[in-house]
Each structure stands twice: as structure tokens, then as C-alpha cells.
CSV table of all heavy atoms in Angstrom, one decimal:
chain,number,residue,atom,x,y,z
A,1,ARG,N,0.8,-1.2,0.0
A,1,ARG,CA,0.0,0.0,0.0
A,1,ARG,C,0.9,1.3,0.0
A,1,ARG,O,2.0,1.2,0.4
A,1,ARG,CB,-1.0,0.0,1.2
A,1,ARG,CG,-0.3,0.2,2.5
A,1,ARG,CD,-1.3,0.1,3.6
A,1,ARG,NE,-0.5,0.2,4.9
A,1,ARG,CZ,-0.8,1.0,5.9
A,1,ARG,NH1,-1.9,1.7,5.8
A,1,ARG,NH2,-0.1,1.0,6.9
A,2,ARG,N,0.3,2.3,-0.4
A,2,ARG,CA,1.0,3.6,-0.4
A,2,ARG,C,1.3,4.0,1.0
A,2,ARG,O,0.6,3.7,1.9
A,2,ARG,CB,0.2,4.7,-1.1
A,2,ARG,CG,0.0,4.5,-2.6
A,2,ARG,CD,-0.8,5.6,-3.1
A,2,ARG,NE,-2.2,5.5,-2.7
A,2,ARG,CZ,-3.1,6.4,-3.0
A,2,ARG,NH1,-2.9,7.4,-3.6
A,2,ARG,NH2,-4.3,6.2,-2.6
A,3,SER,N,2.4,4.7,1.2
A,3,SER,CA,2.8,5.0,2.6
A,3,SER,C,1.8,6.0,3.2
A,3,SER,O,1.7,6.0,4.4
A,3,SER,CB,4.2,5.6,2.6
A,3,SER,OG,4.3,6.8,1.8
A,4,GLN,N,1.2,6.9,2.5
A,4,GLN,CA,0.3,7.8,3.0
A,4,GLN,C,-1.0,7.8,2.2
A,4,GLN,O,-0.9,7.8,1.0
A,4,GLN,CB,0.9,9.2,3.0
A,4,GLN,CG,2.1,9.3,3.9
A,4,GLN,CD,1.9,10.4,5.0
A,4,GLN,OE1,1.0,11.2,4.8
A,4,GLN,NE2,2.6,10.4,6.0
A,5,GLY,N,-2.1,8.0,2.9
A,5,GLY,CA,-3.4,8.1,2.2
A,5,GLY,C,-4.0,6.8,1.8
A,5,GLY,O,-3.5,5.7,2.0
A,6,SER,N,-5.3,6.9,1.3
A,6,SER,CA,-6.0,5.7,1.0
A,6,SER,C,-6.4,5.9,-0.5
A,6,SER,O,-6.1,6.8,-1.1
A,6,SER,CB,-7.3,5.6,1.9
A,6,SER,OG,-8.2,6.6,1.5
A,7,VAL,N,-7.2,4.9,-0.9
A,7,VAL,CA,-7.6,4.9,-2.3
A,7,VAL,C,-8.5,6.1,-2.6
A,7,VAL,O,-8.7,6.5,-3.7
A,7,VAL,CB,-8.4,3.6,-2.7
A,7,VAL,CG1,-7.4,2.5,-2.7
A,7,VAL,CG2,-9.5,3.3,-1.8
A,8,TRP,N,-9.2,6.7,-1.6
A,8,TRP,CA,-10.1,7.8,-1.8
A,8,TRP,C,-9.4,9.1,-1.5
A,8,TRP,O,-10.0,10.1,-1.5
A,8,TRP,CB,-11.3,7.7,-0.9
A,8,TRP,CG,-12.0,6.3,-1.0
A,8,TRP,CD1,-12.1,5.4,0.0
A,8,TRP,CD2,-12.6,5.7,-2.1
A,8,TRP,NE1,-12.7,4.3,-0.5
A,8,TRP,CE2,-13.0,4.5,-1.8
A,8,TRP,CE3,-12.8,6.2,-3.5
A,8,TRP,CZ2,-13.7,3.6,-2.7
A,8,TRP,CZ3,-13.4,5.3,-4.3
A,8,TRP,CH2,-13.8,4.1,-4.0
A,9,GLY,N,-8.1,9.1,-1.3
A,9,GLY,CA,-7.3,10.3,-1.1
A,9,GLY,C,-7.4,10.9,0.3
A,9,GLY,O,-7.0,12.0,0.5
A,10,GLU,N,-7.9,10.1,1.2
A,10,GLU,CA,-7.9,10.5,2.6
A,10,GLU,C,-6.9,9.8,3.4
A,10,GLU,O,-6.4,8.8,3.0
A,10,GLU,CB,-9.3,10.2,3.2
A,10,GLU,CG,-10.4,10.9,2.4
A,10,GLU,CD,-11.8,10.2,2.6
A,10,GLU,OE1,-11.8,9.1,3.2
A,10,GLU,OE2,-12.8,10.7,2.2
A,11,ALA,N,-6.5,10.4,4.5
A,11,ALA,CA,-5.4,9.8,5.3
A,11,ALA,C,-5.9,8.5,6.0
A,11,ALA,O,-7.1,8.4,6.4
A,11,ALA,CB,-5.0,10.7,6.4
A,12,VAL,N,-5.1,7.5,6.0
A,12,VAL,CA,-5.4,6.2,6.7
A,12,VAL,C,-5.0,6.5,8.1
A,12,VAL,O,-3.8,6.6,8.4
A,12,VAL,CB,-4.6,5.0,6.1
A,12,VAL,CG1,-4.9,3.8,6.9
A,12,VAL,CG2,-5.0,4.8,4.7
A,13,GLU,N,-6.0,6.6,9.0
A,13,GLU,CA,-5.8,7.0,10.4
A,13,GLU,C,-5.3,6.0,11.3
A,13,GLU,O,-4.5,6.2,12.2
A,13,GLU,CB,-7.1,7.7,10.9
A,13,GLU,CG,-7.5,8.9,10.1
A,13,GLU,CD,-8.9,9.3,10.6
A,13,GLU,OE1,-9.4,8.8,11.5
A,13,GLU,OE2,-9.4,10.2,9.9
A,14,GLU,N,-5.8,4.7,11.2
A,14,GLU,CA,-5.5,3.7,12.1
A,14,GLU,C,-5.0,2.4,11.5
A,14,GLU,O,-5.5,2.1,10.4
A,14,GLU,CB,-6.8,3.4,12.9
A,14,GLU,CG,-7.3,4.6,13.6
A,14,GLU,CD,-8.7,4.3,14.2
A,14,GLU,OE1,-9.4,3.4,13.8
A,14,GLU,OE2,-9.1,5.1,15.0
A,15,PRO,N,-4.0,1.8,12.1
A,15,PRO,CA,-3.5,0.5,11.5
A,15,PRO,C,-4.6,-0.5,11.6
A,15,PRO,O,-5.5,-0.4,12.4
A,15,PRO,CB,-2.3,0.2,12.5
A,15,PRO,CG,-2.0,1.4,13.2
A,15,PRO,CD,-3.2,2.3,13.2
A,16,ILE,N,-4.4,-1.6,10.9
A,16,ILE,CA,-5.4,-2.6,10.8
A,16,ILE,C,-5.2,-3.7,11.9
A,16,ILE,O,-4.0,-4.0,12.2
A,16,ILE,CB,-5.5,-3.2,9.4
A,16,ILE,CG1,-6.7,-4.1,9.2
A,16,ILE,CG2,-4.2,-4.0,9.1
A,16,ILE,CD1,-6.9,-4.4,7.7
A,17,VAL,N,-6.2,-4.3,12.4
A,17,VAL,CA,-6.1,-5.4,13.3
A,17,VAL,C,-6.0,-6.6,12.4
A,17,VAL,O,-6.8,-6.9,11.6
A,17,VAL,CB,-7.3,-5.6,14.2
A,17,VAL,CG1,-7.3,-6.9,15.0
A,17,VAL,CG2,-7.4,-4.4,15.2
A,18,ARG,N,-4.9,-7.4,12.5
A,18,ARG,CA,-4.7,-8.6,11.7
A,18,ARG,C,-5.4,-9.7,12.3
A,18,ARG,O,-5.3,-9.9,13.5
A,18,ARG,CB,-3.2,-8.8,11.5
A,18,ARG,CG,-2.5,-7.7,10.8
A,18,ARG,CD,-1.4,-8.1,10.0
A,18,ARG,NE,-0.7,-7.0,9.4
A,18,ARG,CZ,-1.0,-6.5,8.2
A,18,ARG,NH1,-2.0,-7.1,7.5
A,18,ARG,NH2,-0.4,-5.5,7.7
A,19,VAL,N,-6.1,-10.6,11.5
A,19,VAL,CA,-6.9,-11.7,12.0
A,19,VAL,C,-6.6,-13.0,11.3
A,19,VAL,O,-6.2,-13.0,10.1
A,19,VAL,CB,-8.4,-11.3,11.9
A,19,VAL,CG1,-8.7,-10.1,12.8
A,19,VAL,CG2,-8.9,-11.2,10.5
A,20,ASP,N,-7.0,-14.1,12.0
A,20,ASP,CA,-7.1,-15.4,11.3
A,20,ASP,C,-8.6,-15.6,11.4
A,20,ASP,O,-9.3,-15.3,12.4
A,20,ASP,CB,-6.4,-16.5,12.1
A,20,ASP,CG,-4.9,-16.5,12.0
A,20,ASP,OD1,-4.4,-15.8,11.0
A,20,ASP,OD2,-4.2,-17.1,12.8
A,21,GLU,N,-9.2,-16.2,10.4
A,21,GLU,CA,-10.6,-16.5,10.3
A,21,GLU,C,-10.8,-17.9,9.8
A,21,GLU,O,-10.3,-18.2,8.7
A,21,GLU,CB,-11.3,-15.4,9.4
A,21,GLU,CG,-12.8,-15.5,9.3
A,21,GLU,CD,-13.4,-14.3,8.5
A,21,GLU,OE1,-12.7,-13.3,8.3
A,21,GLU,OE2,-14.5,-14.5,8.0
A,22,TYR,N,-11.6,-18.7,10.5
A,22,TYR,CA,-11.9,-20.1,10.0
A,22,TYR,C,-13.2,-20.6,10.6
A,22,TYR,O,-13.8,-19.9,11.5
A,22,TYR,CB,-10.7,-21.0,10.5
A,22,TYR,CG,-10.5,-21.1,12.0
A,22,TYR,CD1,-11.1,-22.1,12.7
A,22,TYR,CD2,-9.7,-20.2,12.6
A,22,TYR,CE1,-10.9,-22.2,14.1
A,22,TYR,CE2,-9.5,-20.2,14.0
A,22,TYR,CZ,-10.1,-21.2,14.7
A,22,TYR,OH,-9.9,-21.3,16.1
A,23,ARG,N,-13.6,-21.7,10.1
A,23,ARG,CA,-14.9,-22.3,10.6
A,23,ARG,C,-14.5,-23.4,11.5
A,23,ARG,O,-13.6,-24.2,11.3
A,23,ARG,CB,-15.7,-22.9,9.4
A,23,ARG,CG,-16.5,-21.8,8.7
A,23,ARG,CD,-17.4,-22.3,7.7
A,23,ARG,NE,-18.6,-22.9,8.4
A,23,ARG,CZ,-19.7,-23.0,7.9
A,23,ARG,NH1,-19.9,-22.7,6.6
A,23,ARG,NH2,-20.7,-23.6,8.5
A,24,ASP,N,-15.3,-23.5,12.6
A,24,ASP,CA,-15.2,-24.6,13.5
A,24,ASP,C,-16.6,-25.2,13.6
A,24,ASP,O,-17.4,-24.7,14.4
A,24,ASP,CB,-14.6,-24.1,14.9
A,24,ASP,CG,-14.5,-25.2,15.9
A,24,ASP,OD1,-14.5,-26.4,15.6
A,24,ASP,OD2,-14.4,-24.8,17.1
A,25,GLY,N,-16.9,-26.2,12.8
A,25,GLY,CA,-18.2,-26.7,12.8
A,25,GLY,C,-19.2,-25.7,12.3
A,25,GLY,O,-19.0,-25.1,11.2
A,26,GLY,N,-20.2,-25.4,13.1
A,26,GLY,CA,-21.2,-24.4,12.7
A,26,GLY,C,-20.9,-23.0,13.3
A,26,GLY,O,-21.8,-22.2,13.5
A,27,THR,N,-19.6,-22.7,13.6
A,27,THR,CA,-19.2,-21.4,14.1
A,27,THR,C,-18.1,-20.8,13.3
A,27,THR,O,-17.1,-21.5,12.9
A,27,THR,CB,-18.7,-21.7,15.6
A,27,THR,OG1,-19.7,-22.3,16.4
A,27,THR,CG2,-18.3,-20.3,16.2
A,28,LEU,N,-18.2,-19.5,13.0
A,28,LEU,CA,-17.1,-18.8,12.4
A,28,LEU,C,-16.3,-18.2,13.6
A,28,LEU,O,-16.8,-17.6,14.5
A,28,LEU,CB,-17.7,-17.6,11.6
A,28,LEU,CG,-16.7,-16.7,11.0
A,28,LEU,CD1,-15.8,-17.4,9.9
A,28,LEU,CD2,-17.4,-15.5,10.3
A,29,VAL,N,-15.0,-18.5,13.5
A,29,VAL,CA,-14.0,-18.1,14.5
A,29,VAL,C,-13.1,-17.0,13.9
A,29,VAL,O,-12.5,-17.2,12.9
A,29,VAL,CB,-13.2,-19.3,15.1
A,29,VAL,CG1,-12.2,-18.8,16.2
A,29,VAL,CG2,-14.1,-20.3,15.6
A,30,ILE,N,-13.0,-15.9,14.6
A,30,ILE,CA,-12.0,-14.9,14.3
A,30,ILE,C,-11.1,-14.7,15.4
A,30,ILE,O,-11.5,-14.4,16.6
A,30,ILE,CB,-12.8,-13.5,13.9
A,30,ILE,CG1,-13.7,-13.8,12.8
A,30,ILE,CG2,-11.8,-12.4,13.7
A,30,ILE,CD1,-14.7,-12.6,12.5
A,31,ARG,N,-9.8,-14.8,15.2
A,31,ARG,CA,-8.8,-14.6,16.2
A,31,ARG,C,-7.9,-13.4,15.8
A,31,ARG,O,-7.4,-13.4,14.7
A,31,ARG,CB,-7.9,-15.9,16.3
A,31,ARG,CG,-8.7,-17.1,16.9
A,31,ARG,CD,-7.9,-18.3,16.9
A,31,ARG,NE,-6.6,-18.1,17.4
A,31,ARG,CZ,-6.2,-18.6,18.6
A,31,ARG,NH1,-6.9,-19.4,19.3
A,31,ARG,NH2,-5.0,-18.4,19.0
A,32,ALA,N,-7.6,-12.6,16.8
A,32,ALA,CA,-6.8,-11.4,16.5
A,32,ALA,C,-5.7,-11.4,17.6
A,32,ALA,O,-6.0,-11.6,18.8
A,32,ALA,CB,-7.6,-10.1,16.6
A,33,GLU,N,-4.5,-11.1,17.2
A,33,GLU,CA,-3.4,-11.0,18.1
A,33,GLU,C,-3.3,-9.5,18.6
A,33,GLU,O,-3.1,-8.6,17.8
A,33,GLU,CB,-2.1,-11.3,17.4
A,33,GLU,CG,-0.9,-11.4,18.3
A,33,GLU,CD,0.4,-11.9,17.6
A,33,GLU,OE1,0.6,-11.4,16.5
A,33,GLU,OE2,1.1,-12.8,18.1
A,34,LEU,N,-3.6,-9.4,19.9
A,34,LEU,CA,-3.7,-8.0,20.5
A,34,LEU,C,-2.9,-8.0,21.8
A,34,LEU,O,-3.5,-8.0,22.9
A,34,LEU,CB,-5.1,-7.6,20.7
A,34,LEU,CG,-6.0,-7.4,19.5
A,34,LEU,CD1,-7.4,-7.2,19.8
A,34,LEU,CD2,-5.4,-6.3,18.6
A,35,PRO,N,-1.6,-8.2,21.8
A,35,PRO,CA,-0.9,-8.2,23.1
A,35,PRO,C,-0.8,-6.9,23.8
A,35,PRO,O,-0.9,-5.8,23.1
A,35,PRO,CB,0.6,-8.6,22.6
A,35,PRO,CG,0.7,-8.1,21.2
A,35,PRO,CD,-0.7,-8.2,20.6
A,36,GLY,N,-0.7,-6.9,25.1
A,36,GLY,CA,-0.5,-5.7,25.8
A,36,GLY,C,-1.7,-4.8,26.0
A,36,GLY,O,-1.6,-3.6,26.2
A,37,ILE,N,-2.9,-5.4,25.9
A,37,ILE,CA,-4.1,-4.6,26.1
A,37,ILE,C,-4.9,-5.1,27.3
A,37,ILE,O,-4.7,-6.2,27.7
A,37,ILE,CB,-5.0,-4.6,24.8
A,37,ILE,CG1,-5.5,-6.0,24.5
A,37,ILE,CG2,-4.3,-4.0,23.7
A,37,ILE,CD1,-6.7,-6.0,23.6
A,38,ASP,N,-5.7,-4.3,27.8
A,38,ASP,CA,-6.7,-4.6,28.8
A,38,ASP,C,-8.0,-4.8,28.1
A,38,ASP,O,-8.6,-3.8,27.6
A,38,ASP,CB,-6.8,-3.5,29.9
A,38,ASP,CG,-7.9,-3.8,31.0
A,38,ASP,OD1,-8.7,-4.8,30.8
A,38,ASP,OD2,-7.9,-3.1,31.9
A,39,PRO,N,-8.6,-6.0,27.9
A,39,PRO,CA,-9.8,-6.2,27.1
A,39,PRO,C,-11.0,-5.5,27.7
A,39,PRO,O,-11.9,-5.1,26.9
A,39,PRO,CB,-10.0,-7.7,27.1
A,39,PRO,CG,-9.2,-8.2,28.3
A,39,PRO,CD,-8.1,-7.3,28.5
A,40,ASP,N,-11.0,-5.2,29.0
A,40,ASP,CA,-12.2,-4.5,29.6
A,40,ASP,C,-12.1,-3.0,29.2
A,40,ASP,O,-13.2,-2.4,29.1
A,40,ASP,CB,-12.2,-4.7,31.1
A,40,ASP,CG,-12.4,-6.1,31.5
A,40,ASP,OD1,-13.1,-6.8,30.9
A,40,ASP,OD2,-11.8,-6.5,32.6
A,41,ARG,N,-11.0,-2.5,29.1
A,41,ARG,CA,-10.8,-1.1,28.9
A,41,ARG,C,-10.5,-0.7,27.4
A,41,ARG,O,-10.8,0.4,26.9
A,41,ARG,CB,-9.7,-0.6,29.8
A,41,ARG,CG,-9.5,0.9,29.7
A,41,ARG,CD,-8.3,1.3,30.7
A,41,ARG,NE,-7.1,0.9,30.1
A,41,ARG,CZ,-5.9,1.2,30.5
A,41,ARG,NH1,-5.8,1.8,31.7
A,41,ARG,NH2,-4.8,0.8,29.9
A,42,ASP,N,-9.7,-1.6,26.7
A,42,ASP,CA,-9.1,-1.2,25.5
A,42,ASP,C,-9.7,-1.8,24.2
A,42,ASP,O,-9.2,-1.6,23.1
A,42,ASP,CB,-7.6,-1.5,25.5
A,42,ASP,CG,-6.9,-0.8,26.6
A,42,ASP,OD1,-7.3,0.3,27.0
A,42,ASP,OD2,-5.9,-1.4,27.1
A,43,VAL,N,-10.7,-2.6,24.3
A,43,VAL,CA,-11.3,-3.3,23.2
A,43,VAL,C,-12.8,-3.0,23.1
A,43,VAL,O,-13.5,-3.0,24.1
A,43,VAL,CB,-11.1,-4.8,23.3
A,43,VAL,CG1,-11.8,-5.5,22.1
A,43,VAL,CG2,-9.7,-5.2,23.3
A,44,GLU,N,-13.2,-2.7,21.8
A,44,GLU,CA,-14.6,-2.5,21.6
A,44,GLU,C,-15.0,-3.4,20.3
A,44,GLU,O,-14.3,-3.2,19.3
A,44,GLU,CB,-15.0,-1.1,21.3
A,44,GLU,CG,-16.5,-0.9,21.0
A,44,GLU,CD,-16.9,0.6,20.8
A,44,GLU,OE1,-16.0,1.4,20.4
A,44,GLU,OE2,-18.0,0.9,21.0
A,45,ILE,N,-16.0,-4.2,20.5
A,45,ILE,CA,-16.4,-5.1,19.4
A,45,ILE,C,-17.9,-4.8,19.2
A,45,ILE,O,-18.7,-4.8,20.1
A,45,ILE,CB,-16.2,-6.6,19.7
A,45,ILE,CG1,-14.8,-6.8,20.0
A,45,ILE,CG2,-16.7,-7.4,18.5
A,45,ILE,CD1,-14.6,-8.2,20.7
A,46,THR,N,-18.3,-4.5,17.9
A,46,THR,CA,-19.7,-4.2,17.6
A,46,THR,C,-20.1,-5.0,16.4
A,46,THR,O,-19.2,-5.3,15.5
A,46,THR,CB,-20.0,-2.7,17.4
A,46,THR,OG1,-19.2,-2.2,16.3
A,46,THR,CG2,-19.7,-1.9,18.6
A,47,ALA,N,-21.4,-5.3,16.3
A,47,ALA,CA,-21.9,-6.0,15.1
A,47,ALA,C,-23.2,-5.3,14.7
A,47,ALA,O,-24.0,-5.0,15.5
A,47,ALA,CB,-22.2,-7.5,15.4
């Protein structure tokens, strides 16, 4: 990717959370490596 900006010409503000995604039977599992965080304070997940 370009070092600055996005495809729409706007700044990319935040790095991406890298994930593994796979199926475990009838469940979709998404795993993200997030070391050094407090999940109660530092993570927000919405759907």
C-alpha cells in the first residue's frame, strides 16, 4: 500500500487489526493478536 493516504485520497488514520478467520463446525471463529491490552478497557467489538 501507499505510505500515506487511501484509495479515496484521505489519510489512513489507524493501523489494521490482523486476524485469522476459520470455521469450527457451525461457528465462524475470528482470532486477533492483540498483546499488551486490557480487554475490559481497550477493546470494543460491535456487530
